[in-house]
Amino acid sequence: MKYFPFFIDIENKSGLIVGGGEVAAEKVFRLQPFHSNITVIAPVILDKLLHNKDIQCIKREFKEDDIDNKVYVIAATNDKKLNQHISDLCKKQGILVNVVDDINQCGFIFPSLVTSGSMCIGISTGGASPSIASIYRKKIQKEVPENMEEILLNLSKCRKWAKENIHNDNERKCYLKEQAERLLDI
């Protein structure tokens, strides 16, 4: 199955991770740079999560109303029935859900990410081979200039200027492409 790569703003939006082990921790650490309000619920939670001041940890069993008002939910327990139950609840409420290692229960999957400043590239194989996605992530990361955030800031200024001053769509597009190629030294 192919997944369309939506990029969504999760900054200051509530997300829930059910599970407190290594897999849950990996998801937390991948989400944290995007400044989501993350809550972790599990009867047992790793110390590295409990001592993470940027997330809320609740040591107890999952309750159905835990998903209320969440933008996304990640089921990262080793209880397949619980994970499926969480997935079913989320799907009924239209909440984005990821069930770790069970693509059939997912409403979204985690891509392999290349990030540099505000640039984010997601790579997915539709769950077929996370290894391939990781290999290409490493290849792409090598090609990204170290000063990408500076380049993007400059291009953002160019874009604003072009929108205000170049009224022909094709001319504006050509100007912005030239600026990007110049700044990337292409």
Side-chain angles (χ1 to χ4, degrees), residues 98-117:
N98 175 272
V99 177
V100 175
D101 290 333
D102 191 347
I103 199 159
N104 295 321
Q105 296 298 321
C106 291
F108 76 95
I109 59 174
F110 275 76
S112 189
L113 295 177
V114 175
T115 59
S116 182

PDB file of all heavy atoms in Angstrom, residues 98-117:
ATOM      1  N   ASN A  98      -1.374   5.253  15.007  1.00  0.00           N
ATOM      2  CA  ASN A  98      -0.273   4.402  14.571  1.00  0.00           C
ATOM      3  C   ASN A  98      -0.160   3.271  15.574  1.00  0.00           C
ATOM      4  O   ASN A  98      -0.079   3.514  16.777  1.00  0.00           O
ATOM      5  CB  ASN A  98       1.041   5.200  14.523  1.00  0.00           C
ATOM      6  CG  ASN A  98       2.229   4.319  14.195  1.00  0.00           C
ATOM      7  OD1 ASN A  98       2.840   3.752  15.090  1.00  0.00           O
ATOM      8  ND2 ASN A  98       2.564   4.240  12.932  1.00  0.00           N
ATOM      9  N   VAL A  99      -0.187   2.052  15.082  1.00  0.00           N
ATOM     10  CA  VAL A  99       0.021   0.884  15.925  1.00  0.00           C
ATOM     11  C   VAL A  99       1.376   0.318  15.525  1.00  0.00           C
ATOM     12  O   VAL A  99       1.562  -0.138  14.392  1.00  0.00           O
ATOM     13  CB  VAL A  99      -1.099  -0.161  15.765  1.00  0.00           C
ATOM     14  CG1 VAL A  99      -0.802  -1.390  16.614  1.00  0.00           C
ATOM     15  CG2 VAL A  99      -2.437   0.449  16.147  1.00  0.00           C
ATOM     16  N   VAL A 100       2.303   0.370  16.443  1.00  0.00           N
ATOM     17  CA  VAL A 100       3.675  -0.036  16.163  1.00  0.00           C
ATOM     18  C   VAL A 100       3.709  -1.485  15.695  1.00  0.00           C
ATOM     19  O   VAL A 100       3.088  -2.364  16.306  1.00  0.00           O
ATOM     20  CB  VAL A 100       4.539   0.173  17.426  1.00  0.00           C
ATOM     21  CG1 VAL A 100       5.941  -0.354  17.197  1.00  0.00           C
ATOM     22  CG2 VAL A 100       4.567   1.639  17.803  1.00  0.00           C
ATOM     23  N   ASP A 101       4.395  -1.716  14.602  1.00  0.00           N
ATOM     24  CA  ASP A 101       4.595  -3.041  14.016  1.00  0.00           C
ATOM     25  C   ASP A 101       3.313  -3.755  13.598  1.00  0.00           C
ATOM     26  O   ASP A 101       3.274  -4.981  13.534  1.00  0.00           O
ATOM     27  CB  ASP A 101       5.408  -3.942  14.965  1.00  0.00           C
ATOM     28  CG  ASP A 101       6.850  -3.496  15.074  1.00  0.00           C
ATOM     29  OD1 ASP A 101       7.357  -2.881  14.118  1.00  0.00           O
ATOM     30  OD2 ASP A 101       7.468  -3.742  16.123  1.00  0.00           O
ATOM     31  N   ASP A 102       2.262  -2.990  13.303  1.00  0.00           N
ATOM     32  CA  ASP A 102       1.023  -3.589  12.789  1.00  0.00           C
ATOM     33  C   ASP A 102       0.402  -2.622  11.783  1.00  0.00           C
ATOM     34  O   ASP A 102      -0.535  -1.892  12.088  1.00  0.00           O
ATOM     35  CB  ASP A 102       0.045  -3.895  13.926  1.00  0.00           C
ATOM     36  CG  ASP A 102      -1.131  -4.747  13.451  1.00  0.00           C
ATOM     37  OD1 ASP A 102      -1.327  -4.902  12.222  1.00  0.00           O
ATOM     38  OD2 ASP A 102      -1.856  -5.255  14.331  1.00  0.00           O
ATOM     39  N   ILE A 103       0.947  -2.622  10.599  1.00  0.00           N
ATOM     40  CA  ILE A 103       0.561  -1.648   9.570  1.00  0.00           C
ATOM     41  C   ILE A 103      -0.935  -1.706   9.246  1.00  0.00           C
ATOM     42  O   ILE A 103      -1.532  -0.693   8.894  1.00  0.00           O
ATOM     43  CB  ILE A 103       1.435  -1.813   8.306  1.00  0.00           C
ATOM     44  CG1 ILE A 103       1.372  -0.547   7.470  1.00  0.00           C
ATOM     45  CG2 ILE A 103       1.055  -3.049   7.528  1.00  0.00           C
ATOM     46  CD1 ILE A 103       2.501  -0.380   6.525  1.00  0.00           C
ATOM     47  N   ASN A 104      -1.553  -2.856   9.397  1.00  0.00           N
ATOM     48  CA  ASN A 104      -2.978  -2.982   9.089  1.00  0.00           C
ATOM     49  C   ASN A 104      -3.869  -2.222  10.058  1.00  0.00           C
ATOM     50  O   ASN A 104      -5.015  -1.928   9.742  1.00  0.00           O
ATOM     51  CB  ASN A 104      -3.388  -4.457   9.038  1.00  0.00           C
ATOM     52  CG  ASN A 104      -2.716  -5.187   7.897  1.00  0.00           C
ATOM     53  OD1 ASN A 104      -2.569  -4.647   6.808  1.00  0.00           O
ATOM     54  ND2 ASN A 104      -2.286  -6.415   8.146  1.00  0.00           N
ATOM     55  N   GLN A 105      -3.367  -1.905  11.234  1.00  0.00           N
ATOM     56  CA  GLN A 105      -4.138  -1.167  12.232  1.00  0.00           C
ATOM     57  C   GLN A 105      -3.829   0.340  12.196  1.00  0.00           C
ATOM     58  O   GLN A 105      -4.423   1.108  12.939  1.00  0.00           O
ATOM     59  CB  GLN A 105      -3.840  -1.704  13.641  1.00  0.00           C
ATOM     60  CG  GLN A 105      -4.275  -3.135  13.855  1.00  0.00           C
ATOM     61  CD  GLN A 105      -5.776  -3.297  13.709  1.00  0.00           C
ATOM     62  OE1 GLN A 105      -6.553  -2.456  14.142  1.00  0.00           O
ATOM     63  NE2 GLN A 105      -6.198  -4.378  13.072  1.00  0.00           N
ATOM     64  N   CYS A 106      -2.908   0.738  11.331  1.00  0.00           N
ATOM     65  CA  CYS A 106      -2.454   2.132  11.301  1.00  0.00           C
ATOM     66  C   CYS A 106      -3.297   3.012  10.396  1.00  0.00           C
ATOM     67  O   CYS A 106      -3.720   2.583   9.323  1.00  0.00           O
ATOM     68  CB  CYS A 106      -1.004   2.199  10.805  1.00  0.00           C
ATOM     69  SG  CYS A 106       0.192   1.508  11.952  1.00  0.00           S
ATOM     70  N   GLY A 107      -3.491   4.233  10.825  1.00  0.00           N
ATOM     71  CA  GLY A 107      -4.053   5.271   9.973  1.00  0.00           C
ATOM     72  C   GLY A 107      -2.937   6.135   9.398  1.00  0.00           C
ATOM     73  O   GLY A 107      -3.125   6.868   8.444  1.00  0.00           O
ATOM     74  N   PHE A 108      -1.755   6.060  10.016  1.00  0.00           N
ATOM     75  CA  PHE A 108      -0.562   6.731   9.495  1.00  0.00           C
ATOM     76  C   PHE A 108       0.650   5.921   9.926  1.00  0.00           C
ATOM     77  O   PHE A 108       0.575   5.120  10.857  1.00  0.00           O
ATOM     78  CB  PHE A 108      -0.454   8.184   9.978  1.00  0.00           C
ATOM     79  CG  PHE A 108      -0.012   8.347  11.412  1.00  0.00           C
ATOM     80  CD1 PHE A 108       1.323   8.571  11.724  1.00  0.00           C
ATOM     81  CD2 PHE A 108      -0.928   8.290  12.451  1.00  0.00           C
ATOM     82  CE1 PHE A 108       1.731   8.728  13.039  1.00  0.00           C
ATOM     83  CE2 PHE A 108      -0.536   8.443  13.767  1.00  0.00           C
ATOM     84  CZ  PHE A 108       0.805   8.658  14.067  1.00  0.00           C
ATOM     85  N   ILE A 109       1.739   6.109   9.208  1.00  0.00           N
ATOM     86  CA  ILE A 109       2.986   5.440   9.561  1.00  0.00           C
ATOM     87  C   ILE A 109       4.073   6.490   9.738  1.00  0.00           C
ATOM     88  O   ILE A 109       3.952   7.623   9.263  1.00  0.00           O
ATOM     89  CB  ILE A 109       3.397   4.391   8.509  1.00  0.00           C
ATOM     90  CG1 ILE A 109       3.568   5.038   7.129  1.00  0.00           C
ATOM     91  CG2 ILE A 109       2.400   3.247   8.469  1.00  0.00           C
ATOM     92  CD1 ILE A 109       4.108   4.081   6.066  1.00  0.00           C
ATOM     93  N   PHE A 110       5.130   6.120  10.427  1.00  0.00           N
ATOM     94  CA  PHE A 110       6.270   7.003  10.626  1.00  0.00           C
ATOM     95  C   PHE A 110       7.244   6.824   9.470  1.00  0.00           C
ATOM     96  O   PHE A 110       7.724   5.719   9.240  1.00  0.00           O
ATOM     97  CB  PHE A 110       6.999   6.655  11.923  1.00  0.00           C
ATOM     98  CG  PHE A 110       6.419   7.296  13.140  1.00  0.00           C
ATOM     99  CD1 PHE A 110       5.260   6.823  13.700  1.00  0.00           C
ATOM    100  CD2 PHE A 110       7.048   8.388  13.714  1.00  0.00           C
ATOM    101  CE1 PHE A 110       4.713   7.406  14.823  1.00  0.00           C
ATOM    102  CE2 PHE A 110       6.514   8.984  14.842  1.00  0.00           C
ATOM    103  CZ  PHE A 110       5.347   8.495  15.403  1.00  0.00           C
ATOM    104  N   PRO A 111       7.551   7.903   8.759  1.00  0.00           N
ATOM    105  CA  PRO A 111       8.568   7.785   7.717  1.00  0.00           C
ATOM    106  C   PRO A 111       9.962   7.870   8.330  1.00  0.00           C
ATOM    107  O   PRO A 111      10.121   8.263   9.485  1.00  0.00           O
ATOM    108  CB  PRO A 111       8.296   9.018   6.840  1.00  0.00           C
ATOM    109  CG  PRO A 111       7.781  10.031   7.814  1.00  0.00           C
ATOM    110  CD  PRO A 111       6.970   9.243   8.820  1.00  0.00           C
ATOM    111  N   SER A 112      10.934   7.498   7.557  1.00  0.00           N
ATOM    112  CA  SER A 112      12.311   7.789   7.915  1.00  0.00           C
ATOM    113  C   SER A 112      12.510   9.264   7.576  1.00  0.00           C
ATOM    114  O   SER A 112      12.108   9.709   6.495  1.00  0.00           O
ATOM    115  CB  SER A 112      13.250   6.899   7.099  1.00  0.00           C
ATOM    116  OG  SER A 112      14.564   7.016   7.569  1.00  0.00           O
ATOM    117  N   LEU A 113      13.090  10.038   8.486  1.00  0.00           N
ATOM    118  CA  LEU A 113      13.152  11.489   8.299  1.00  0.00           C
ATOM    119  C   LEU A 113      14.557  12.011   8.097  1.00  0.00           C
ATOM    120  O   LEU A 113      15.492  11.567   8.758  1.00  0.00           O
ATOM    121  CB  LEU A 113      12.562  12.209   9.518  1.00  0.00           C
ATOM    122  CG  LEU A 113      11.091  12.027   9.801  1.00  0.00           C
ATOM    123  CD1 LEU A 113      10.714  12.748  11.093  1.00  0.00           C
ATOM    124  CD2 LEU A 113      10.256  12.534   8.642  1.00  0.00           C
ATOM    125  N   VAL A 114      14.651  12.987   7.202  1.00  0.00           N
ATOM    126  CA  VAL A 114      15.847  13.804   7.053  1.00  0.00           C
ATOM    127  C   VAL A 114      15.399  15.208   7.433  1.00  0.00           C
ATOM    128  O   VAL A 114      14.480  15.753   6.820  1.00  0.00           O
ATOM    129  CB  VAL A 114      16.376  13.799   5.598  1.00  0.00           C
ATOM    130  CG1 VAL A 114      17.548  14.761   5.454  1.00  0.00           C
ATOM    131  CG2 VAL A 114      16.762  12.402   5.161  1.00  0.00           C
ATOM    132  N   THR A 115      16.001  15.766   8.466  1.00  0.00           N
ATOM    133  CA  THR A 115      15.631  17.119   8.875  1.00  0.00           C
ATOM    134  C   THR A 115      16.866  17.998   8.943  1.00  0.00           C
ATOM    135  O   THR A 115      17.959  17.547   9.297  1.00  0.00           O
ATOM    136  CB  THR A 115      14.932  17.133  10.250  1.00  0.00           C
ATOM    137  OG1 THR A 115      15.811  16.573  11.225  1.00  0.00           O
ATOM    138  CG2 THR A 115      13.638  16.348  10.231  1.00  0.00           C
ATOM    139  N   SER A 116      16.665  19.234   8.593  1.00  0.00           N
ATOM    140  CA  SER A 116      17.708  20.242   8.713  1.00  0.00           C
ATOM    141  C   SER A 116      16.999  21.578   8.849  1.00  0.00           C
ATOM    142  O   SER A 116      16.410  22.078   7.886  1.00  0.00           O
ATOM    143  CB  SER A 116      18.614  20.233   7.483  1.00  0.00           C
ATOM    144  OG  SER A 116      19.656  21.184   7.641  1.00  0.00           O
ATOM    145  N   GLY A 117      17.011  22.124  10.050  1.00  0.00           N
ATOM    146  CA  GLY A 117      16.246  23.338  10.295  1.00  0.00           C
ATOM    147  C   GLY A 117      14.773  23.067  10.045  1.00  0.00           C
ATOM    148  O   GLY A 117      14.222  22.080  10.516  1.00  0.00           O
TER     149      GLY A 117
END
